[in-house]
Amino acid sequence: MIDVDGEAGGGQIVRTALSLSMLTGTPVHVTNVRGSRPNPGLRPQHLAAVRAAATCCDADVDGAAEGSEEVTFEPGDVAGGDHEVDVGTAGSVTLLFDTLLALSPMLDEPLSVTVTGGTDVKWSPTMAHYRRVKLPLVARFGFAAEVALHRTGFYPAGGGRATLRVNPGTSTSASLTERGPLEEVAVYSKAAESLEDAEVADRQADAAVDALDERGLPVGEVVGEYVETSSPGSALLLRAEYRHTVAGFDALGERGVTSEAVAERAVEAFDEFRDGPGVVDHYTADQLMLPLAVGGGRVGIPAVTNHVETNREVIRRFGGDLQVEKSRNGPALVSDGDFLVSN
């Protein structure tokens, strides 16, 4: 039984611990769940991740209740199959997906999980970022997966629906140490149908394209769309395609914030990345740590954030080792790939 203290971080510690427990076949006991948060314990989105993981490996679980500050998870055998999960709120669908994505190297047949919740909400990758940035990067480590979006869900109603299909993969070493020249920046903008008269998706996209043009940056595909949702909202992704990597920069619409301001937020995040170190974007860095620990390799990151440090500690508790080394492109996470996966 591995003991993990969840006080120093948020739900990411729980999700990482669940993934590692299933990957290694080792029971885990997480205490002080989200202990440093104003509302500690499992919230609906974290509880949904626990239940989804338990379903996919026939686990024995103690403490799976909303508000619980202690969870024990004893995994059984991971298997493919079709499952459905309802977060019950606008809690992040993409973060729940992350708990199960790491199972790819263990599968003999596909695992399909359909989740209802928030597809484009704060504090998590938007669905476009997950599909167009994260999945292509984890594929370099041999993690095979795809996502089908059925319905977009914004805060507060949620009601989004998407299916993650995790396919059998073979973990492999990958090196992400150079960006190479910027080839193009694609723009993906969407808004609720109720915002079509205000041309929100179009204005977000147009403002982003104008800002990229002003900087002399190559603009690739530009998509603006209106979708059926339960709550009004909008989302924008800039996908920067470099010769050797890809990075993404999100912004969400908010009441009282103009479409042009939403675009400005995404462009400013891209500006910060272009002017700084790292080969992957700030938010993707900690999300590549499990594939890196399993497959091995090297990933240049913009900074060693608290999320990176807490994830490193959880991985270390399970016997993995991710070193931080300095390079001319900033800090890099390095793994020998000797992390044992239970098959």
Side-chain angles (χ1 to χ4, degrees):
M1 177 80 71
I2 301 292
D3 290 313
V4 173
D5 188 341
E7 182 174 11
Q12 185 63 46
I13 288 181
V14 176
R15 290 187 293 270
T16 299
L18 291 171
S19 296
L20 289 167
S21 178
M22 292 185 287
L23 280 167
T24 62
T26 306
V28 63
H29 179 213
V30 185
T31 58
N32 299 319
V33 172
R34 302 176 64 254
S36 62
R37 296 295 195 261
N39 54 343
L42 295 174
R43 308 313 300 164
Q45 62 268 34
H46 314 119
L47 179 58
V50 173
R51 289 174 173 166
T55 299
C56 294
C57 69
D58 193 25
D60 291 328
V61 183
D62 186 36
E66 187 172 347
S68 175
E69 298 182 37
E70 188 171 345
V71 177
T72 300
F73 186 89
E74 299 185 38
D77 294 332
V78 173
D82 299 327
H83 306 281
E84 293 208 15
V85 179
D86 187 349
V87 177
T89 67
S92 174
V93 169
T94 56
L95 290 182
L96 190 151
F97 282 170
D98 258 9
T99 310
L100 309 175
L101 179 61
L103 299 180
S104 176
M106 302 183 65
L107 293 173
D108 294 321
E109 59 181 31
L111 170 66
S112 177
V113 182
T114 298
V115 182
T116 301
T119 62
D120 297 81
V121 293
K122 283 186 174 182
W123 319 120
S124 64
T126 62
M127 188 58 66
H129 190 290
Y130 200 85
R131 298 170 75 188
R132 299 181 183 276
V133 178
K134 176 163 185 175
L135 290 186
L137 287 173
V138 299
R140 301 191 189 189
F141 294 91
F143 285 52
E146 55 194 297
V147 170
L149 175 62
H150 311 301
R151 180 184 171 92
T152 294
F154 294 119
Y155 180 85
R161 187 173 174 85
T163 299
L164 172 71
R165 180 182 171 91
V166 185
N167 296 308
T170 302
S171 59
T172 186
S173 176
S175 180
L176 293 168
T177 57
E178 300 285 342
R179 293 183 192 178
L182 177 65
E183 296 183 342
E184 67 173 28
V185 184
V187 178
Y188 300 98
S189 178
K190 71 175 175 180
E193 287 180 339
S194 60
L195 301 176
E196 186 168 6
D197 287 346
E199 300 181 330
V200 168
D202 301 280
R203 288 166 50 206
Q204 285 180 167
D206 291 344
V209 169
D210 288 345
L212 295 170
D213 284 341
E214 288 174 3
R215 291 158 173 75
L217 301 175
V219 177
E221 183 179 32
V222 178
V223 176
E225 61 176 336
Y226 296 91
V227 294
E228 182 181 351
T229 65
S230 299
S231 292
S234 68
L236 176 69
L237 169 71
L238 305 183
R239 182 185 189 274
E241 182 80 35
Y242 290 85
R243 179 169 297 172
H244 303 304
T245 190
V246 61
F249 310 92
D250 288 319
L252 294 173
E254 298 180 57
R255 184 181 295 274
V257 178
T258 67
S259 301
E260 290 73 21
V262 173
E264 183 179 359
R265 288 177 181 175
V267 173
E268 287 178 349
F270 182 30
D271 284 340
E272 183 178 352
F273 176 78
R274 290 193 300 124
D275 294 338
V279 179
V280 298
D281 62 76
H282 177 84
Y283 293 106
T284 303
D286 62 285
Q287 296 173 28
L288 292 179
M289 294 175 71
L290 276 182
L292 179 63
V294 174
R298 187 182 187 94
V299 177
I301 61 176
V304 181
T305 63
N306 288 337
H307 272 239
V308 168
E309 286 290 13
T310 53
N311 256 359
R312 280 184 69 204
E313 176 58 23
V314 177
I315 290 169
R316 188 191 68 79
R317 296 289 298 161
F318 280 84
D321 186 23
L322 286 181
Q323 298 295 320
V324 176
E325 297 182 0
K326 294 182 179 179
S327 71
R328 63 185 179 86
N329 292 326
L333 292 170
V334 182
S335 168
D336 292 333
D338 56 359
F339 189 78
L340 296 179
V341 177
S342 173
N343 287 303

